[in-house]
Amino acid sequence: IYLKITTDTTEFKYYENGNVKKGYLNPFLNLFNREVISFSISKQPSAQSITSALHQAIEIIQIVHFAAPFILTSNTCLLYISD
């Protein structure tokens, strides 16, 4: 059951050749059972990374219910959801 789904971008640090780098995790979580439905990992925060994970979540669950109120800061996400 997918009653409410949420997402958040989490910044984390990792090491590459002795240098500290930043990575960004964008998971979509089912609040009903705390299941990770989909996720993406990128080297910079971007709407493209979030919509990639959103597309995967939609493929998995077919219907996404968003809990209101929510704020979308990217026109790309807004167009994607309205299609």
Side-chain angles (χ1 to χ4, degrees):
I1 296 175
Y2 300 101
L3 299 177
K4 292 186 182 178
I5 296 170
T6 187
T7 187
D8 188 27
T9 299
T10 302
E11 179 184 286
F12 61 91
K13 295 179 181 177
Y14 66 97
Y15 291 90
E16 187 176 278
N17 298 325
N19 297 319
V20 177
K21 303 281 185 171
K22 290 182 181 179
Y24 298 88
L25 173 64
N26 302 296
F28 277 79
L29 304 170
N30 180 356
L31 293 178
F32 176 73
N33 62 5
R34 299 182 183 169
E35 172 187 25
V36 175
I37 299 168
S38 67
F39 68 93
S40 66
I41 299 174
S42 60
K43 292 186 177 184
Q44 65 239 359
S46 68
Q48 181 181 3
S49 181
I50 295 168
T51 54
S52 171
L54 175 61
H55 179 67
Q56 292 173 21
I58 289 171
E59 287 181 7
I60 291 169
I61 63 173
Q62 300 300 315
I63 299 172
V64 176
H65 298 278
F66 286 95
F70 62 93
I71 298 171
L72 295 174
T73 58
S74 169
N75 289 335
T76 305
C77 289
L78 183 59
L79 291 173
Y80 189 82
I81 291 169
S82 65
D83 287 344

